[in-house]
Amino acid sequence: MAEPPLSCDCFVSLPPGSRDDHVIFGKNSDRPRDEVQEVVFYPAAAHPTGSSVECTYIQIPQAEHTHAVVLSRPAWLWGAEMGANDQGVCVGNEAVWTREPVSDGEALLGMDLVRLGLERGASAWAALEVITGLLEDHGQGGPCREAQEPFSYHNTFLLVDRTEAWVLETAGRLWVAQKVTAGVKNISNQLTIGTEISAEHPELRSVARSQGWWDGEGEFNFSQVFSPENPPARMELAKQRYRGGTALMQQHDGSVTAEVMMSILRDKPSGICMDSGGFCTTGSMVSVLPRDPGLPCIHFFTATPDPSRSIFKPFVFSERIGPMQRVASPQYGPDDPARRQPRFQSQVDRRHDLYKAHQGALSNMDASQNEGLAVYEILRDLESQCLVDILAMLSGELPGEELGDLFFDCVDAEIKFYQ
């Protein structure tokens, strides 16, 4: 039997695709079933000139200033599957395979590049420049899951801010990008950029010609030239999911809201919400980026698997943000099996408080216990009311002074309901 698709889905709606004057970003992170995804916050920081930063596998020069970021990430690594910064930028990545060989050698993971782009980029385009510059300097590669069996890939990215979005597709150090300024767009683990190229690596076409992948005649089509002749089964299987995501976005074109985006991420028939097999949706994120710079951006995270049975909780950047222990996993320092050489020789418990409580609730629901289902229905009602209140705040009907504590209040309430 062919393997199920092993990547994720990213979505964006820009006016007039959105119902309101907002940019809406959404992503499901489909990862190994038992992998814990945590939500973490890092404040803006100044760094000494010449200092370095330790990423998942390699050390690179640190920027002198990094933006505040909130990240949803596999708990064993440094980077992130998706996240946002205090400048109103969101980034998510997908696995992809191309004609360029994938390196098992340790370099920057695509997830490292997500975090680095957010920490260093004040706009979607600036984050794209950060990522492509780091690709040129350090490359991409290394094990992409916490296991001894090798599993590596190249990456595509969706980078979004209050005014525009960029799709960035990579093949080793090579890359191509497409600018999106209106309507709806989605990506999965497919190359989607054909001839609609807005920017590219200066050596992209010369490499394609030297490898015999392109004869230099006619219009250059990136996805045709760089898609592998014999793609992995997981990449072929994801085509249906990509088409399903496109259909759902087009169905809601002109009416996309945060609630609509959540419903898309919860859609099981399309495969966007994965809940069976060795891989599943381990974390989800939706962001509302108002075009009006005077309004705050709102970011929703589940921090738990399967969005069809998880609750989205709103996060707003604030100077009052404290430690996020309830959604942060235990730290093992230099004894972490992901850091010790050789890596991944053992497993540790990375579950955070919310993850454990959610696991118990899912067990009740799976056993068809009325109590578990009733608790989930109450939480979904609270999620809906929260969405109503936030939209009222963005329209000026409610004050927004207390938004900085809202994520923590929602997490605590969810844990108490589960208990």
Side-chain angles (χ1 to χ4, degrees), residues 7-11 26-28 30 94 187-188 241-242 271-272:
S7 187
C8 328
D9 296 270
C10 280
F11 304 88
K27 174 172 164 60
N28 270 355
D30 297 335
E94 318 289 339
I187 63 172
S188 188
R241 188 173 60 191
Y242 170 70
I272 290 168

Side-chain angles (χ1 to χ4, degrees), residues 149-209:
E149 300 79 16
F151 178 61
S152 301
Y153 47 75
H154 292 158
N155 293 266
T156 68
F157 303 85
L158 183 62
L159 308 99
V160 178
D161 61 28
R162 293 177 186 261
T163 61
E164 64 187 25
W166 285 85
V167 177
L168 170 63
E169 299 185 347
T170 72
R173 284 180 165 83
L174 303 174
W175 58 272
V176 66
Q178 178 187 11
K179 185 178 181 179
V180 182
T181 57
V184 296
K185 176 70 177 177
N186 67 297
I187 63 172
S188 188
N189 61 327
Q190 298 288 308
L191 297 181
T192 63
I193 299 176
T195 60
E196 311 86 2
I197 297 172
S198 306
E200 64 185 73
H201 189 285
E203 298 175 5
L204 180 74
R205 302 187 191 208
S206 62
V207 169
R209 290 190 67 175

Side-chain angles (χ1 to χ4, degrees), residues 13-286:
S13 173
L14 300 100
S18 308
R19 187 191 68 185
D20 304 308
D21 195 27
H22 303 152
V23 176
I24 311 292
F25 170 86
K27 174 172 164 60
N28 270 355
S29 173
D30 297 335
R31 300 282 304 167
R33 167 169 294 279
D34 295 327
E35 185 178 79
V36 175
Q37 195 139 153
E38 61 180 2
V39 175
V40 291
F41 166 77
Y42 295 99
H47 306 279
T49 301
S51 62
S52 60
V53 57
E54 190 74 36
C55 301
T56 301
Y57 297 127
I58 66 170
Q59 191 177 85
I60 67 171
Q62 178 63 285
E64 292 190 7
H65 172 79
T66 51
H67 302 298
V69 295
V70 59
L71 309 171
S72 185
R73 71 178 189 188
W76 62 271
L77 51 75
W78 180 85
E81 274 279 288
M82 51 200 170
N85 68 20
D86 58 359
Q87 305 299 299
V89 180
C90 300
V91 182
N93 80 311
E94 318 289 339
V96 73
W97 293 264
T98 73
R99 285 186 164 184
E100 283 286 308
V102 175
S103 171
D104 289 328
E106 295 188 347
L108 290 174
L109 291 180
M111 292 169 279
D112 293 338
L113 293 167
V114 168
R115 176 172 173 177
L116 290 163
L118 289 168
E119 287 187 338
R120 303 179 183 195
S123 67
W125 171 250
L128 185 150
E129 289 188 303
V130 167
I131 291 173
T132 56
L134 291 168
L135 274 177
E136 188 69 23
D137 292 341
H138 306 287
Q140 59 179 318
C144 297
R145 64 181 173 189
E146 190 180 14
Q148 295 182 40
E149 300 79 16
F151 178 61
S152 301
Y153 47 75
H154 292 158
N155 293 266
T156 68
F157 303 85
L158 183 62
L159 308 99
V160 178
D161 61 28
R162 293 177 186 261
T163 61
E164 64 187 25
W166 285 85
V167 177
L168 170 63
E169 299 185 347
T170 72
R173 284 180 165 83
L174 303 174
W175 58 272
V176 66
Q178 178 187 11
K179 185 178 181 179
V180 182
T181 57
V184 296
K185 176 70 177 177
N186 67 297
I187 63 172
S188 188
N189 61 327
Q190 298 288 308
L191 297 181
T192 63
I193 299 176
T195 60
E196 311 86 2
I197 297 172
S198 306
E200 64 185 73
H201 189 285
E203 298 175 5
L204 180 74
R205 302 187 191 208
S206 62
V207 169
R209 290 190 67 175
S210 67
Q211 294 291 333
W213 302 334
W214 181 53
D215 61 8
E217 300 294 328
E219 203 166 20
F220 181 80
N221 185 307
F222 176 74
S223 62
Q224 287 183 6
V225 171
F226 275 85
S227 290
E229 293 181 341
N230 298 300
R234 60 180 68 94
M235 192 169 174
E236 283 295 290
L237 286 167
K239 286 182 179 178
Q240 181 178 354
R241 188 173 60 191
Y242 170 70
R243 289 193 292 266
T246 300
L248 285 171
M249 290 299 286
Q250 291 174 345
Q251 175 185 332
H252 293 286
D253 193 1
S255 61
V256 177
T257 61
E259 189 170 16
V260 166
M261 188 65 78
M262 291 174 189
S263 72
I264 291 172
L265 298 185
R266 286 168 166 151
D267 191 87
K268 289 184 182 292
S270 65
I272 290 168
C273 179
M274 293 175 58
D275 66 348
S276 62
F279 278 59
C280 74
T281 303
T282 58
S284 303
M285 172 184 174
V286 170

Side-chain angles (χ1 to χ4, degrees), residues 292-343:
D292 182 351
L295 294 174
C297 297
I298 316 291
H299 310 286
F300 299 85
F301 297 93
T302 61
T304 50
D306 189 353
S308 72
R309 300 194 290 181
S310 287
I311 307 303
F312 285 91
K313 296 159 282 290
F315 176 95
V316 180
F317 283 96
S318 164
E319 294 184 2
R320 296 201 310 271
I321 298 173
M324 303 177 74
Q325 293 102 330
R326 294 286 211 168
V327 287
S329 301
Q331 299 298 303
Y332 296 93
D335 294 328
D336 194 314
R339 292 186 172 87
R340 288 202 313 262
Q341 295 284 1
R343 302 186 195 273

